[in-house]
Amino acid sequence: MKLTRLQARRLAIHCQGLDGRWKLPAGKEGVARAVERLGYVQIDTIAVVQRAHHHTIWSRRGDYHGEMLHELQARDRRVFEYWAPAASYLPMRDFRYYVRRLPGYLERHTSGFLAEHRPLVRHVLARIRAEGPLGSADFRAPEGRRRGSWWDWKPAKQALEALFNVGELMVAERRHFQRLYDLTDRVLPPDVDTTPPDRLERARHVLRRRLAAQGLTRPGHRTLRDRRAVDAALEEMTASGEVTPVEVRGLEGEPYYALTEVLERSAGRRPPRGKPLHILSPFDSLVINRWRLRALFDFDCKLECYLPATKRRWGYFCLPILWDAEFVGRADCKAERKARKLVVRKLMFEPGFQDHGAVLRPLAAKLRDFAAFNECERVVVEQAAPARARAPLNRELKRTD
């Protein structure tokens, strides 16, 4: 099957729930189903605007607030935390496909630590068993230990993480973004299937999840571990007709693949009415695979917060702007919550994009929505590129006040 790049983009956007066509219930149930459809929602610590996991869900569910995700984890047990491959919220029903499937470096670190620190590990487990959920702050560092680098955790913190990695502990909830760990048997709902999958079964699950959420992908991408099992599963699923090879015109190399059912549903689908506009997190599920983002959308997204200010091209924490099926720009934003204002340090449109007059009104409306999501009452645009876009954008922002 052949698709144009525009068709491939629209397929990806639809499968990510960003074209307005997902029919989800309001409130917390809609959030749970959004996580299930996305497969995972990546967690990140950066808080210059709402953290990435909240931002990603809000982009699909405009009625979202953070307490919903907290309840889904801590009370309803509909989601859990694990590596996918980065720290993420995952649907609880997928538990058996993830736990104990660590990236190689984490697996080596975890096994070594547990073997070398058995008395400490027993002590940590005994306290949690007796006292209930505990966090790193509930354990004291050894006397005389000085705090080192960010990764120089105190031993109890390392023990908690190691036990979490191997599935002995789960994150029962987060308080002020800090993990509280409890015994897995006390967190995991009794009806959750914990049967370990074999390699082929897990590969089929990973492919189905990824294709359903992304629309299409290439199996050679590095985040698909165990390439032999993935290749075998892909061959089996293609032979059965569950998966269809797809050629995207203009993109050379090995073919993409898509779920046949998804392709059939999308065939002949008209573009959405209007042009939806989204201000996305750099950790959003649509943009986190940078190779795919460049290939399908011709858009480069780099996180520059870890670079010195003099070496940043776009800014500390730039948010991609998706308009219809095109990334038209990015905004370096900061929520100044005490002052109740969202500061757009710099708004940058992509080179070659000229339709500023048409995009400014929906962009202003979305910035106001994003400000409210960040508990801010107004938007301040400090710079724009091109500079001539700043004044009309400010006028549009005033129109939406």
Side-chain angles (χ1 to χ4, degrees):
M1 184 174 185
K2 292 185 179 181
L3 295 178
T4 66
R5 194 177 298 190
L6 179 58
Q7 288 173 322
R9 288 177 178 181
R10 292 200 183 281
L11 181 64
I13 291 167
H14 171 70
C15 288
Q16 280 289 307
L18 292 170
D19 65 354
R21 287 183 164 140
W22 276 11
K23 303 302 181 185
L24 299 175
K28 188 171 58 173
E29 179 61 25
V31 173
R33 294 193 195 180
V35 175
E36 289 168 356
R37 291 189 68 163
L38 291 171
Y40 76 98
V41 174
Q42 187 163 328
I43 302 169
D44 195 73
T45 60
I46 298 171
V48 290
V49 293
Q50 287 277 15
R51 288 189 171 99
H53 41 288
H54 298 308
H55 189 167
T56 296
I57 297 172
W58 174 80
S59 295
R60 280 90 181 158
R61 295 294 317 168
D63 64 344
Y64 171 78
H65 58 80
E67 190 62 25
M68 294 177 179
L69 188 58
H70 178 264
E71 289 183 7
L72 288 170
Q73 178 184 36
R75 189 176 71 188
D76 303 338
R77 305 301 191 201
R78 292 280 297 276
V79 301
F80 73 103
E81 291 187 38
Y82 205 64
W83 306 101
S88 302
Y89 288 104
L90 297 135
M92 185 64 80
R93 66 187 185 190
D94 289 352
F95 176 84
R96 72 189 187 101
Y97 295 104
Y98 287 93
V99 174
R100 299 181 180 89
R101 292 291 302 182
L102 289 168
Y105 73 95
L106 272 180
E107 189 171 20
R108 291 190 297 272
H109 169 78
T110 298
S111 59
F113 183 89
L114 291 174
E116 294 172 17
H117 299 86
R118 288 190 179 91
L120 171 64
V121 169
R122 287 196 292 268
H123 169 72
V124 168
L125 283 173
R127 279 200 58 190
I128 291 175
R129 189 175 293 111
E131 300 175 40
L134 297 175
S136 174
D138 296 305
F139 296 87
R140 290 185 178 181
E143 291 294 329
R145 179 181 176 84
R146 292 184 178 181
R147 186 177 180 87
S149 68
W150 189 81
W151 287 105
D152 187 19
W153 292 337
K154 58 188 178 185
K157 170 65 173 174
Q158 292 178 292
L160 289 167
E161 288 293 316
L163 290 165
F164 166 75
N165 290 345
V166 299
E168 292 291 325
L169 298 178
M170 291 181 71
V171 179
E173 64 175 304
R174 283 182 180 254
R175 290 182 188 167
H176 308 295
F177 199 61
Q178 301 303 308
R179 286 170 164 176
L180 294 184
Y181 301 86
D182 201 355
L183 302 176
T184 293
D185 289 346
R186 296 201 296 224
V187 176
L188 199 65
D191 59 342
V192 172
D193 186 359
T194 59
T195 308
D198 61 33
R199 291 172 60 210
L200 191 60
E201 184 182 6
R202 184 177 186 279
R204 285 194 294 264
H205 169 81
V206 170
L207 281 168
R208 287 181 183 126
R209 271 289 190 209
R210 182 154 302 192
L211 291 172
Q214 295 186 354
L216 69 172
T217 194
R218 282 175 167 165
H221 184 237
R222 61 181 174 82
T223 60
L224 288 173
R225 300 177 65 205
D226 199 347
R227 178 63 187 267
R228 289 185 180 180
V230 169
D231 286 345
L234 189 60
E235 182 178 354
E236 173 193 284
M237 295 164 73
T238 303
S240 70
E242 182 178 359
V243 166
T244 298
V246 176
E247 177 185 333
V248 180
R249 292 170 189 159
L251 300 183
E252 305 300 331
E254 61 181 314
Y256 286 83
Y257 290 85
L259 292 175
T260 305
E261 180 184 3
V262 172
L263 286 173
E264 290 174 348
R265 286 203 310 265
S266 67
R269 182 189 293 136
R270 294 181 179 180
R273 292 182 178 179
K275 292 184 176 183
L277 187 141
H278 296 281
I279 299 171
L280 299 176
S281 167
F283 296 97
D284 191 274
S285 305
L286 182 66
V287 303
I288 195 61
N289 290 340
R290 310 302 196 212
W291 71 272
R292 185 169 173 271
L293 186 66
R294 287 191 296 269
L296 289 185
F297 292 90
D298 195 24
F299 184 74
D300 195 14
C301 180
K302 292 182 180 179
L303 195 61
E304 298 182 320
C305 56
Y306 303 111
L307 296 176
T310 55
K311 294 187 177 181
R312 292 174 193 150
R313 179 182 174 189
W314 294 305
Y316 182 83
F317 197 65
C318 258
L319 312 178
I321 301 170
L322 176 69
W323 188 38
D324 192 23
E326 179 184 6
F327 283 93
V328 299
R330 62 197 84 211
D332 184 22
C333 296
K334 180 181 180 181
E336 296 186 358
R337 296 178 179 91
K338 288 185 179 180
R340 308 284 287 179
K341 67 179 179 180
L342 176 73
V343 178
V344 182
R345 292 161 166 165
K346 192 172 183 180
L347 170 69
M348 294 150 282
F349 288 105
E350 288 298 281
F353 179 74
Q354 299 296 328
D355 204 4
H356 304 107
V359 77
L360 290 181
R361 181 168 294 183
L363 176 58
K366 185 60 70 173
L367 282 169
R368 293 293 296 177
D369 290 344
F370 189 59
F373 174 58
N374 280 276
E375 301 175 2
C376 296
E377 296 174 348
R378 59 195 178 100
V379 180
V380 176
V381 180
E382 293 183 340
Q383 296 183 65
R388 65 179 183 274
R390 181 171 176 264
L393 177 58
N394 280 326
R395 286 196 295 270
E396 289 295 339
L397 284 167
K398 290 178 181 178
R399 285 169 55 93
T400 58
D401 283 343

